[in-house]
Amino acid sequence: MPLRTWLKAGTTAAAVILATATAATAAPVPTPSTASAAAVVTLRYDDSRAGGWEAAITAGVASWNASVANVKLVEAAPGTRAEIVIVATTGWPQATLGPVRPGRQVRVELGSQAVAQGYDKTRIAAHELGHSLGLPDTKPGPCSQLMSGSSAGTSCVNAVPNATERSRVESAYASGAASLVRTDGRILVDAP
């Protein structure tokens, strides 16, 4: 067999082997359902007017970020518009009922009146953030329900959403769907 035939056959075989190896090791192309299931909605919060609540807000944000996979709360950079504006007040805690949409804005008021009566700051912060994420109150309710709020009593320090609460938030933000959900702008006041 002439050298030219050997080279042509060898080049063709090498191309086939390379193509086969590449196809076998390449990452699968995500399908639309896989890509949308992995969508994460990022919501920025501004706590620059929530003096005295910084540690509670940090812990409340961490609780939500550890509990749900498709929505993440991040601190807004100075001068950046935030979806969740958090302020300290002297009244009862209250918040706009969400779910807040990216580019929209809700307000959370962390009231010192509840702290003065013995309620836990971290639970208050996580609870009010839950309203921003679309969860209403579940009063009366046990301490195991974050959204039971003040009805769980002052001894309750649970700041972690339960499975039902996590599921409702995940559903509200599924595939970025929060951008399609309208909020009614109701303010929920969490006085006992």
Side-chain angles (χ1 to χ4, degrees):
M1 191 188 302
L3 180 60
R4 190 169 139 198
T5 305
W6 275 102
L7 289 174
K8 188 174 180 181
T11 304
T12 303
V16 169
I17 291 170
L18 182 58
T20 304
T22 302
T25 60
V29 176
T31 61
S33 61
T34 304
S36 62
V40 175
V41 176
T42 300
L43 300 172
R44 296 164 303 206
Y45 67 91
D46 174 3
D47 63 354
S48 63
R49 299 183 320 194
W53 287 84
E54 295 87 354
I57 294 166
T58 298
V61 165
S63 176
W64 278 108
N65 284 344
S67 297
V68 293
N70 62 350
V71 61
K72 291 298 172 203
L73 303 174
V74 298
E75 189 169 3
T80 304
R81 180 177 165 82
E83 283 84 10
I84 304 171
V85 176
I86 306 171
V87 298
T89 69
T90 58
W92 278 96
Q94 57 185 314
T96 310
L97 180 60
V100 64
R101 300 178 287 172
R104 303 294 183 174
Q105 196 169 68
V106 295
R107 181 177 170 98
V108 168
E109 295 184 9
L110 300 176
S112 62
Q113 193 170 356
V115 177
Q117 292 200 12
Y119 292 97
D120 181 69
K121 282 179 124 176
T122 300
R123 179 171 168 85
I124 293 169
H127 175 91
E128 299 306 326
L129 288 168
H131 287 319
S132 296
L133 298 174
L135 297 177
D137 287 314
T138 56
K139 294 179 180 180
C143 183
S144 60
Q145 292 177 341
L146 176 60
M147 301 313 294
S148 67
S150 62
S151 71
T154 56
S155 63
C156 180
V157 296
N158 172 39
V160 178
N162 67 19
T164 301
E165 295 163 332
R166 290 190 303 267
S167 176
R168 288 187 68 187
V169 169
E170 294 246 340
S171 178
Y173 289 91
S175 302
S179 61
L180 305 175
V181 177
R182 292 186 54 109
T183 60
D184 63 9
R186 283 189 298 158
I187 305 296
L188 302 178
V189 180
D190 289 303

